[in-house]
Coordinates of all heavy atoms in Angstrom, one line a residue:
M5 N 14.2 -8.5 1.5 CA 13.8 -7.5 2.3 C 12.6 -8.0 3.2 O 11.6 -8.6 2.7 CB 13.4 -6.3 1.7 CG 13.0 -5.2 2.5 SD 12.5 -3.6 1.6 CE 14.1 -3.2 0.9
K6 N 12.8 -8.0 4.5 CA 11.7 -8.5 5.4 C 10.7 -7.4 5.7 O 11.1 -6.4 6.4 CB 12.3 -9.1 6.6 CG 13.2 -10.4 6.4 CD 13.7 -10.9 7.6 CE 14.5 -12.1 7.3 NZ 14.9 -12.8 8.6
I7 N 9.5 -7.6 5.3 CA 8.4 -6.6 5.5 C 8.1 -6.4 6.9 O 8.0 -5.2 7.4 CB 7.2 -6.8 4.7 CG1 7.5 -6.9 3.2 CG2 6.1 -5.9 5.0 CD1 6.4 -7.4 2.4
K8 N 8.1 -7.4 7.7 CA 7.7 -7.3 9.1 C 8.8 -6.5 9.9 O 8.5 -5.9 11.0 CB 7.7 -8.7 9.8 CG 6.4 -9.5 9.3 CD 5.2 -9.0 10.0 CE 4.0 -9.7 9.7 NZ 2.8 -9.3 10.3
I9 N 10.0 -6.5 9.4 CA 11.1 -5.6 10.0 C 11.2 -4.2 9.5 O 11.4 -3.3 10.1 CB 12.4 -6.4 9.9 CG1 12.4 -7.6 10.7 CG2 13.6 -5.5 10.4 CD1 13.6 -8.5 10.4
N10 N 11.1 -4.1 8.1 CA 11.2 -2.9 7.4 C 9.9 -2.0 7.1 O 10.0 -1.1 6.3 CB 12.0 -3.1 6.1 CG 13.4 -3.6 6.4 OD1 14.2 -3.0 7.0 ND2 13.6 -4.9 6.0
F11 N 8.8 -2.4 7.7 CA 7.5 -1.8 7.2 C 7.5 -0.2 7.5 O 6.8 0.5 6.9 CB 6.3 -2.4 7.9 CG 6.2 -2.3 9.4 CD1 5.6 -1.3 9.9 CD2 6.9 -3.2 10.2 CE1 5.5 -1.1 11.2 CE2 6.7 -3.0 11.6 CZ 6.1 -2.0 12.2
K12 N 8.2 0.2 8.5 CA 8.3 1.6 8.8 C 9.1 2.5 7.8 O 9.0 3.6 7.8 CB 8.9 1.8 10.2 CG 8.0 1.3 11.3 CD 8.8 1.5 12.7 CE 8.1 0.9 13.8 NZ 8.9 1.1 15.0
N13 N 9.9 1.8 7.0 CA 10.7 2.5 6.1 C 10.0 2.6 4.8 O 8.9 2.1 4.5 CB 12.1 1.6 5.9 CG 12.9 1.4 7.1 OD1 12.8 2.3 7.9 ND2 13.5 0.3 7.2
D14 N 10.6 3.3 3.8 CA 10.1 3.6 2.6 C 10.4 2.4 1.6 O 11.3 2.4 0.9 CB 10.6 4.8 1.9 CG 10.0 5.2 0.5 OD1 8.9 4.8 0.3 OD2 10.7 5.9 -0.2
I15 N 9.5 1.3 1.7 CA 9.7 0.2 0.9 C 8.6 0.0 -0.1 O 7.5 0.5 0.1 CB 9.8 -1.1 1.8 CG1 8.5 -1.4 2.5 CG2 11.0 -1.1 2.8 CD1 8.5 -2.7 3.3
S16 N 8.9 -0.6 -1.2 CA 7.9 -0.8 -2.2 C 8.2 -2.2 -2.9 O 9.3 -2.8 -2.7 CB 8.1 0.3 -3.3 OG 9.3 0.2 -4.0
L17 N 7.2 -2.6 -3.7 CA 7.4 -3.9 -4.4 C 8.6 -3.7 -5.4 O 9.4 -4.6 -5.6 CB 6.1 -4.1 -5.3 CG 6.2 -5.3 -6.2 CD1 6.3 -6.6 -5.3 CD2 4.8 -5.5 -6.9
E18 N 8.7 -2.5 -6.0 CA 9.8 -2.3 -7.0 C 11.2 -2.4 -6.3 O 12.1 -3.0 -6.8 CB 9.6 -0.9 -7.5 CG 8.5 -0.7 -8.5 CD 7.2 -0.5 -7.8 OE1 7.1 -0.3 -6.5 OE2 6.1 -0.6 -8.4
K19 N 11.3 -1.9 -5.1 CA 12.5 -1.8 -4.4 C 12.9 -3.4 -4.0 O 14.0 -3.7 -4.1 CB 12.6 -1.0 -3.1 CG 12.6 0.5 -3.4 CD 12.6 1.3 -2.2 CE 12.5 2.7 -2.6 NZ 12.4 3.6 -1.4
C20 N 11.9 -4.1 -3.5 CA 12.2 -5.5 -3.1 C 12.5 -6.3 -4.4 O 13.5 -7.2 -4.3 CB 10.8 -6.0 -2.6 SG 10.5 -5.4 -1.0
A21 N 11.8 -6.1 -5.5 CA 12.1 -6.8 -6.8 C 13.6 -6.6 -7.2 O 14.3 -7.5 -7.5 CB 11.2 -6.5 -7.8
K22 N 14.0 -5.4 -7.2 CA 15.3 -5.0 -7.6 C 16.3 -5.6 -6.6 O 17.3 -6.1 -7.0 CB 15.5 -3.4 -7.5 CG 16.9 -2.9 -8.0 CD 16.9 -1.5 -8.1 CE 18.3 -1.1 -8.6 NZ 18.3 0.4 -8.7
E23 N 16.1 -5.6 -5.4 CA 17.0 -6.2 -4.4 C 17.1 -7.7 -4.6 O 18.2 -8.3 -4.4 CB 16.5 -6.0 -2.9 CG 17.4 -6.5 -1.9 CD 16.9 -6.0 -0.5 OE1 16.7 -4.8 -0.2 OE2 16.9 -7.0 0.4
L24 N 16.0 -8.4 -5.1 CA 16.0 -9.8 -5.3 C 16.5 -10.2 -6.7 O 16.8 -11.4 -7.0 CB 14.5 -10.3 -5.1 CG 14.0 -10.3 -3.6 CD1 12.5 -10.5 -3.7 CD2 14.8 -11.2 -2.8
G25 N 16.5 -9.2 -7.6 CA 17.0 -9.5 -8.9 C 15.9 -10.0 -9.8 O 16.3 -10.7 -10.8
Y26 N 14.7 -9.7 -9.6 CA 13.6 -10.1 -10.4 C 12.7 -8.9 -10.8 O 12.9 -7.9 -10.3 CB 12.7 -11.2 -9.7 CG 13.4 -12.5 -9.3 CD1 13.8 -12.6 -8.1 CD2 13.6 -13.4 -10.3 CE1 14.6 -13.9 -7.8 CE2 14.3 -14.6 -10.0 CZ 14.7 -14.9 -8.8 OH 15.3 -16.0 -8.4
T27 N 11.8 -9.2 -11.8 CA 10.9 -8.1 -12.1 C 9.8 -8.0 -11.1 O 9.5 -9.0 -10.3 CB 10.2 -8.4 -13.5 OG1 9.3 -9.6 -13.2 CG2 11.1 -8.6 -14.7
K28 N 9.3 -6.8 -11.0 CA 8.2 -6.6 -10.0 C 7.0 -7.3 -10.2 O 6.3 -7.9 -9.3 CB 7.8 -5.1 -9.9 CG 7.2 -4.5 -11.0 CD 6.8 -3.0 -10.8 CE 6.0 -2.5 -11.9 NZ 5.6 -1.1 -11.8
E29 N 6.7 -7.7 -11.6 CA 5.6 -8.4 -11.8 C 5.7 -9.9 -11.3 O 4.9 -10.5 -10.8 CB 5.4 -8.6 -13.4 CG 4.9 -7.2 -13.9 CD 6.0 -6.3 -14.2 OE1 7.3 -6.6 -14.1 OE2 5.7 -5.1 -14.5
Y30 N 6.9 -10.5 -11.4 CA 7.2 -11.8 -11.0 C 7.2 -11.9 -9.5 O 6.6 -12.8 -9.0 CB 8.7 -12.3 -11.4 CG 9.0 -13.6 -11.0 CD1 8.4 -14.8 -11.6 CD2 9.8 -13.9 -9.9 CE1 8.7 -16.1 -11.2 CE2 10.2 -15.1 -9.4 CZ 9.6 -16.2 -10.0 OH 9.9 -17.4 -9.6
V31 N 7.8 -10.9 -8.8 CA 7.8 -10.8 -7.3 C 6.3 -10.7 -6.9 O 5.9 -11.5 -5.9 CB 8.6 -9.8 -6.8 CG1 8.5 -9.6 -5.3 CG2 10.1 -10.0 -7.2
S32 N 5.5 -10.0 -7.5 CA 4.2 -9.8 -7.1 C 3.3 -11.1 -7.2 O 2.6 -11.4 -6.4 CB 3.6 -8.6 -8.1 OG 2.2 -8.6 -7.8
M33 N 3.6 -11.8 -8.3 CA 2.9 -13.0 -8.5 C 3.3 -14.1 -7.5 O 2.4 -14.8 -6.9 CB 3.2 -13.5 -9.9 CG 2.6 -14.9 -10.3 SD 3.2 -15.7 -11.7 CE 4.9 -16.1 -11.3
V34 N 4.5 -14.2 -7.2 CA 5.1 -15.1 -6.3 C 4.5 -14.7 -4.9 O 4.1 -15.6 -4.1 CB 6.6 -15.3 -6.4 CG1 7.1 -16.1 -5.2 CG2 7.0 -15.9 -7.6
F35 N 4.7 -13.5 -4.5 CA 4.2 -13.0 -3.2 C 2.7 -13.3 -3.0 O 2.4 -13.9 -2.0 CB 4.5 -11.5 -3.1 CG 4.2 -10.9 -1.7 CD1 5.3 -10.8 -0.9 CD2 3.0 -10.5 -1.4 CE1 5.1 -10.3 0.4 CE2 2.8 -9.9 -0.1 CZ 3.8 -9.9 0.8
H36 N 2.0 -13.0 -4.0 CA 0.5 -13.3 -3.8 C 0.2 -14.8 -3.8 O -0.7 -15.1 -3.0 CB -0.3 -12.6 -5.1 CG -1.7 -12.6 -4.8 ND1 -2.6 -13.7 -5.1 CD2 -2.5 -11.6 -4.3 CE1 -3.8 -13.3 -4.9 NE2 -3.8 -12.1 -4.3
S37 N 0.9 -15.6 -4.5 CA 0.6 -17.0 -4.4 C 1.0 -17.6 -3.1 O 0.4 -18.5 -2.7 CB 1.3 -17.8 -5.6 OG 2.8 -17.7 -5.3
I38 N 2.1 -17.1 -2.4 CA 2.5 -17.5 -1.1 C 1.7 -17.0 0.0 O 1.2 -17.6 0.9 CB 4.0 -17.2 -1.0 CG1 4.8 -18.1 -1.9 CG2 4.4 -17.6 0.6 CD1 6.3 -17.7 -2.0
I39 N 1.5 -15.6 0.0 CA 0.9 -14.9 1.1 C -0.6 -14.9 1.0 O -1.4 -14.8 2.0 CB 1.5 -13.5 1.2 CG1 3.0 -13.5 1.5 CG2 0.8 -12.7 2.3 CD1 3.5 -14.2 2.7
G40 N -1.1 -14.8 -0.2 CA -2.6 -14.8 -0.4 C -3.2 -13.4 -0.7 O -4.4 -13.2 -0.6
E41 N -2.3 -12.4 -0.6 CA -2.7 -11.1 -0.9 C -1.6 -10.2 -1.5 O -0.5 -10.7 -1.5 CB -3.2 -10.3 0.5 CG -2.1 -10.2 1.6 CD -2.8 -9.8 2.9 OE1 -3.9 -9.4 3.0 OE2 -1.9 -9.8 3.9
S42 N -1.9 -9.1 -2.0 CA -0.9 -8.3 -2.7 C 0.1 -7.8 -1.8 O -0.1 -7.6 -0.5 CB -1.6 -7.2 -3.5 OG -2.1 -6.1 -2.6
F43 N 1.2 -7.4 -2.3 CA 2.3 -6.8 -1.5 C 1.8 -5.5 -0.8 O 2.0 -5.4 0.4 CB 3.5 -6.4 -2.4 CG 4.7 -5.8 -1.8 CD1 5.6 -6.5 -1.2 CD2 4.7 -4.4 -1.7 CE1 6.7 -5.9 -0.6 CE2 5.8 -3.8 -1.1 CZ 6.7 -4.6 -0.5
R44 N 1.1 -4.7 -1.5 CA 0.6 -3.4 -1.0 C -0.3 -3.7 0.2 O -0.3 -3.0 1.3 CB 0.0 -2.6 -2.0 CG -0.6 -1.2 -1.5 CD 0.3 -0.3 -0.9 NE 1.5 0.0 -1.8 CZ 2.6 0.5 -1.2 NH1 2.7 0.8 0.0 NH2 3.7 0.7 -2.0
T45 N -1.2 -4.6 0.0 CA -2.3 -4.9 1.1 C -1.6 -5.5 2.3 O -1.9 -5.1 3.4 CB -3.3 -6.0 0.5 OG1 -4.0 -5.4 -0.7 CG2 -4.3 -6.3 1.6
Y46 N -0.7 -6.4 2.1 CA 0.1 -6.9 3.2 C 0.9 -5.9 3.9 O 0.9 -5.8 5.1 CB 1.0 -8.0 2.6 CG 1.9 -8.8 3.7 CD1 1.3 -9.8 4.5 CD2 3.1 -8.3 4.0 CE1 1.9 -10.3 5.5 CE2 3.9 -8.9 5.0 CZ 3.2 -10.0 5.8 OH 4.0 -10.6 6.8
L47 N 1.6 -5.0 3.2 CA 2.3 -3.9 3.8 C 1.5 -3.0 4.6 O 1.8 -2.6 5.7 CB 3.1 -3.2 2.8 CG 4.0 -1.9 3.2 CD1 4.9 -2.3 4.2 CD2 4.5 -1.2 2.0
N48 N 0.3 -2.6 4.0 CA -0.6 -1.7 4.7 C -1.2 -2.4 5.9 O -1.3 -1.8 7.0 CB -1.7 -1.2 3.8 CG -1.2 -0.2 2.8 OD1 -0.2 0.5 3.1 ND2 -1.9 0.0 1.8
R49 N -1.6 -3.6 5.9 CA -2.1 -4.4 7.0 C -1.0 -4.4 8.1 O -1.4 -4.2 9.3 CB -2.5 -5.7 6.6 CG -3.2 -6.5 7.7 CD -3.8 -7.8 7.3 NE -2.9 -8.7 6.5 CZ -2.0 -9.5 7.1 NH1 -1.8 -9.5 8.4 NH2 -1.2 -10.3 6.3
T50 N 0.2 -4.6 7.8 CA 1.3 -4.7 8.8 C 1.4 -3.4 9.5 O 1.6 -3.4 10.6 CB 2.6 -5.1 8.1 OG1 2.5 -6.5 7.5 CG2 3.7 -5.2 9.2
R51 N 1.4 -2.3 8.7 CA 1.5 -1.0 9.2 C 0.2 -0.5 10.1 O 0.5 0.0 11.3 CB 1.7 0.1 8.2 CG 3.0 0.0 7.4 CD 3.1 1.0 6.3 NE 4.4 1.1 5.7 CZ 4.8 1.6 4.7 NH1 3.8 2.1 3.9 NH2 6.1 1.6 4.2
I52 N -0.9 -1.0 9.7 CA -2.1 -0.6 10.5 C -2.1 -1.5 11.8 O -2.5 -0.9 12.9 CB -3.4 -0.9 9.7 CG1 -3.5 0.1 8.6 CG2 -4.6 -1.0 10.5 CD1 -4.5 -0.3 7.4
E53 N -1.8 -2.8 11.7 CA -1.7 -3.6 13.0 C -0.6 -3.0 14.0 O -0.9 -3.0 15.2 CB -1.4 -5.1 12.6 CG -2.5 -5.7 11.9 CD -2.3 -7.0 11.4 OE1 -1.1 -7.5 11.4 OE2 -3.3 -7.7 10.9
Y54 N 0.5 -2.5 13.5 CA 1.5 -1.7 14.3 C 0.8 -0.6 15.0 O 0.8 -0.3 16.1 CB 2.7 -1.4 13.5 CG 3.7 -0.6 14.3 CD1 4.5 -1.2 15.3 CD2 3.7 0.8 14.1 CE1 5.4 -0.4 15.9 CE2 4.6 1.6 14.8 CZ 5.4 0.9 15.7 OH 6.3 1.7 16.4
Y55 N 0.1 0.2 14.1 CA -0.5 1.5 14.5 C -1.5 1.1 15.7 O -1.5 1.8 16.7 CB -1.3 2.1 13.3 CG -2.2 3.2 13.7 CD1 -1.8 4.5 13.9 CD2 -3.5 2.9 13.9 CE1 -2.8 5.5 14.2 CE2 -4.5 3.8 14.2 CZ -4.1 5.1 14.4 OH -5.0 6.0 14.8
L56 N -2.3 0.2 15.4 CA -3.4 -0.2 16.4 C -2.8 -0.7 17.7 O -3.1 -0.3 18.8 CB -4.3 -1.2 15.8 CG -5.2 -0.7 14.7 CD1 -5.9 -1.9 14.1 CD2 -6.2 0.3 15.1
S57 N -1.6 -1.5 17.7 CA -0.9 -1.9 18.9 C -0.3 -0.9 19.6 O -0.4 -0.8 20.8 CB -0.1 -3.0 18.5 OG 1.1 -2.5 17.9
I58 N 0.2 0.1 19.0 CA 0.9 1.3 19.7 C -0.2 2.2 20.2 O 0.1 2.7 21.3 CB 1.9 2.0 18.7 CG1 3.0 1.0 18.3 CG2 2.4 3.2 19.3 CD1 3.8 0.4 19.5
K59 N -1.2 2.4 19.5 CA -2.2 3.3 19.9 C -2.9 2.9 21.2 O -3.1 3.7 22.1 CB -3.3 3.5 18.7 CG -4.3 4.6 19.1 CD -5.3 4.8 18.0 CE -6.3 5.8 18.4 NZ -7.0 6.5 17.4
E60 N -3.1 1.6 21.3 CA -3.5 1.0 22.6 C -2.6 1.4 23.9 O -3.1 1.7 24.9 CB -3.7 -0.5 22.6 CG -4.9 -1.0 21.8 CD -4.9 -2.5 21.7 OE1 -4.2 -3.2 22.5 OE2 -5.7 -3.0 20.9
K61 N -1.4 1.3 23.5 CA -0.4 1.6 24.6 C -0.2 3.2 24.9 O 0.2 3.5 26.1 CB 0.9 1.1 24.2 CG 1.1 -0.5 24.1 CD 2.4 -1.0 23.6 CE 2.3 -2.4 23.3 NZ 3.6 -2.8 22.7
G62 N -0.6 3.9 24.0 CA -0.4 5.4 24.2 C 1.1 5.8 23.9 O 1.9 5.0 23.4
G63 N 1.4 7.0 24.3 CA 2.8 7.5 24.2 C 3.1 8.4 23.1 O 4.1 9.1 23.1
Y64 N 2.1 8.5 22.1 CA 2.4 9.5 21.0 C 1.5 10.7 21.3 O 0.4 10.6 21.8 CB 2.0 8.9 19.7 CG 3.1 8.0 19.1 CD1 3.2 6.7 19.5 CD2 4.0 8.6 18.2 CE1 4.1 5.8 19.0 CE2 5.0 7.7 17.7 CZ 5.1 6.4 18.1 OH 6.2 5.7 17.6
K65 N 2.1 11.9 20.9 CA 1.4 13.2 21.2 C 0.2 13.3 20.3 O -0.9 13.8 20.7 CB 2.3 14.3 21.0 CG 3.4 14.3 22.0 CD 4.4 15.5 21.8 CE 5.6 15.3 22.8 NZ 6.6 16.2 22.4
T66 N 0.3 13.0 19.0 CA -0.8 13.2 18.1 C -1.0 11.9 17.3 O -0.1 11.1 17.1 CB -0.4 14.3 17.1 OG1 0.7 14.0 16.3 CG2 -0.1 15.6 17.8
N67 N -2.2 11.8 16.7 CA -2.5 10.8 15.8 C -1.6 10.8 14.5 O -1.1 9.7 14.1 CB -3.9 10.7 15.4 CG -4.4 9.5 14.7 OD1 -4.1 8.3 15.2 ND2 -4.9 9.5 13.5
K68 N -1.3 11.9 14.0 CA -0.5 12.2 12.9 C 1.0 11.6 13.1 O 1.5 10.9 12.2 CB -0.4 13.5 12.4 CG 0.4 13.8 11.2 CD 0.4 15.2 10.7 CE 1.2 15.4 9.4 NZ 1.2 16.8 8.9
E69 N 1.4 11.8 14.3 CA 2.8 11.4 14.7 C 2.9 9.8 14.7 O 3.8 9.3 14.2 CB 3.1 11.9 16.1 CG 4.5 11.5 16.5 CD 4.8 12.1 18.0 OE1 4.1 11.7 18.9 OE2 5.6 13.0 18.0
L70 N 1.8 9.3 15.3 CA 1.7 7.8 15.2 C 1.6 7.3 13.8 O 2.2 6.2 13.4 CB 0.6 7.3 16.1 CG 0.3 5.8 16.1 CD1 1.6 5.1 16.6 CD2 -0.8 5.6 17.2
V71 N 0.7 7.8 13.0 CA 0.5 7.4 11.6 C 1.8 7.4 10.8 O 2.2 6.4 10.2 CB -0.5 8.2 10.9 CG1 -0.5 8.0 9.4 CG2 -1.9 7.9 11.4
L72 N 2.6 8.5 10.9 CA 3.9 8.6 10.2 C 4.9 7.7 10.7 O 5.7 7.2 10.0 CB 4.3 10.1 10.3 CG 3.4 11.2 9.5 CD1 4.0 12.5 9.8 CD2 3.2 10.8 8.2
S73 N 4.9 7.5 12.1 CA 5.9 6.6 12.6 C 5.6 5.1 12.2 O 6.4 4.2 12.4 CB 5.9 6.6 14.1 OG 4.8 6.1 14.8
S74 N 4.4 4.9 11.8 CA 4.0 3.5 11.4 C 4.3 3.2 9.9 O 4.1 2.0 9.3 CB 2.4 3.3 11.5 OG 2.0 3.5 12.8
G75 N 4.9 4.2 9.2 CA 5.4 3.9 7.9 C 4.6 4.7 6.8 O 4.9 4.6 5.6
F76 N 3.4 5.1 7.2 CA 2.6 5.9 6.2 C 3.2 7.2 5.8 O 3.7 7.9 6.8 CB 1.2 6.0 6.6 CG 0.4 4.7 6.7 CD1 0.2 4.0 8.0 CD2 -0.1 4.1 5.6 CE1 -0.4 2.9 8.0 CE2 -0.8 2.9 5.6 CZ -0.9 2.3 6.8
K77 N 3.0 7.6 4.6 CA 3.6 8.9 4.1 C 2.7 10.1 4.5 O 3.1 11.3 4.5 CB 4.0 8.9 2.7 CG 5.1 7.9 2.4 CD 5.4 8.0 1.0 CE 6.6 7.0 0.6 NZ 6.9 7.0 -0.8
S78 N 1.4 9.8 4.6 CA 0.4 11.0 4.9 C -0.8 10.3 5.7 O -1.0 9.1 5.6 CB 0.1 11.6 3.7 OG -0.8 10.7 2.9
L79 N -1.6 11.3 6.2 CA -2.8 10.9 6.9 C -3.7 10.3 5.8 O -4.5 9.4 6.0 CB -3.4 12.1 7.5 CG -2.7 12.4 8.9 CD1 -3.2 13.8 9.4 CD2 -2.7 11.3 9.9
V80 N -3.8 11.0 4.6 CA -4.7 10.5 3.6 C -4.5 9.1 3.2 O -5.3 8.2 3.1 CB -4.7 11.4 2.4 CG1 -5.4 10.9 1.1 CG2 -5.1 12.9 2.7
T81 N -3.2 8.7 3.0 CA -2.8 7.3 2.7 C -3.2 6.4 3.8 O -3.7 5.3 3.6 CB -1.3 7.3 2.4 OG1 -0.9 8.2 1.3 CG2 -0.9 5.8 2.0
F82 N -3.0 6.8 5.0 CA -3.4 6.0 6.2 C -4.8 5.8 6.2 O -5.3 4.6 6.3 CB -2.9 6.6 7.4 CG -3.6 6.0 8.7 CD1 -3.2 4.8 9.2 CD2 -4.6 6.7 9.4 CE1 -3.7 4.1 10.2 CE2 -5.2 6.0 10.4 CZ -4.8 4.9 10.9
Y83 N -5.7 6.8 6.1 CA -7.1 6.6 6.1 C -7.6 5.7 5.1 O -8.6 5.0 5.3 CB -7.8 8.0 6.1 CG -7.5 8.8 7.4 CD1 -7.1 10.0 7.5 CD2 -7.9 8.2 8.7 CE1 -6.9 10.7 8.6 CE2 -7.7 8.8 9.8 CZ -7.2 10.1 9.9 OH -7.0 10.7 11.0
R84 N -7.1 5.9 3.9 CA -7.5 5.0 2.7 C -7.2 3.6 3.1 O -8.0 2.7 2.9 CB -6.8 5.4 1.4 CG -7.4 6.4 0.7 CD -6.9 6.5 -0.7 NE -7.0 7.8 -1.3 CZ -6.1 8.7 -1.7 NH1 -4.9 8.2 -1.8 NH2 -6.4 9.8 -2.0
A85 N -6.1 3.3 3.5 CA -5.7 1.9 3.9 C -6.4 1.4 5.1 O -6.9 0.2 5.2 CB -4.2 1.9 4.2
Y86 N -6.7 2.3 6.1 CA -7.4 1.9 7.3 C -8.9 1.5 6.9 O -9.4 0.5 7.5 CB -7.4 3.0 8.3 CG -8.0 2.7 9.6 CD1 -7.4 1.9 10.6 CD2 -9.3 3.1 9.9 CE1 -7.9 1.5 11.7 CE2 -9.9 2.8 11.1 CZ -9.2 2.0 12.1 OH -9.8 1.7 13.3
N87 N -9.5 2.4 6.1 CA -10.9 2.1 5.6 C -10.9 0.7 5.0 O -11.9 -0.1 5.1 CB -11.4 3.2 4.8 CG -11.9 4.4 5.6 OD1 -12.1 4.3 6.8 ND2 -11.8 5.5 5.0
S88 N -10.0 0.4 4.1 CA -9.8 -0.9 3.3 C -9.7 -2.0 4.4 O -10.3 -3.1 4.2 CB -8.9 -0.9 2.3 OG -9.0 0.0 1.3
Y89 N -8.9 -1.8 5.4 CA -8.6 -2.9 6.4 C -9.8 -3.1 7.2 O -10.2 -4.2 7.5 CB -7.5 -2.3 7.3 CG -7.2 -3.2 8.4 CD1 -6.3 -4.2 8.3 CD2 -7.7 -2.9 9.8 CE1 -5.9 -5.1 9.4 CE2 -7.3 -3.7 10.9 CZ -6.5 -4.7 10.6 OH -6.1 -5.6 11.7
I90 N -10.6 -2.0 7.6 CA -11.9 -2.2 8.4 C -12.9 -2.9 7.5 O -13.6 -3.8 8.0 CB -12.3 -0.8 9.0 CG1 -11.3 -0.3 9.9 CG2 -13.7 -0.9 9.6 CD1 -11.0 -1.2 11.1
I91 N -13.1 -2.4 6.4 CA -14.2 -2.9 5.5 C -13.8 -4.3 5.0 O -14.7 -5.1 4.8 CB -14.5 -1.9 4.3 CG1 -15.0 -0.6 4.8 CG2 -15.5 -2.5 3.3 CD1 -15.1 0.5 3.9
G92 N -12.6 -4.5 4.8 CA -12.1 -5.8 4.3 C -12.4 -6.2 3.0 O -12.5 -7.2 2.5

């Protein structure tokens, strides 16, 4: 499963591991060793970068609409991820 293509969908480490036929622990370890960050951090960063690029262009009526279209399930989840992204 390609995260850069499917980040707007409901994807998870568990779903990716199942699709690949490995345990989530193994996929997590390999993912981190190759990418250098956790699956969740990478997914959230991808979603936030999309959010920021679209926000610059405009076109969404509300911030909530943009957050949800970026793949986040709620504003709370987005704000947690966004704060982690900013603070680093």
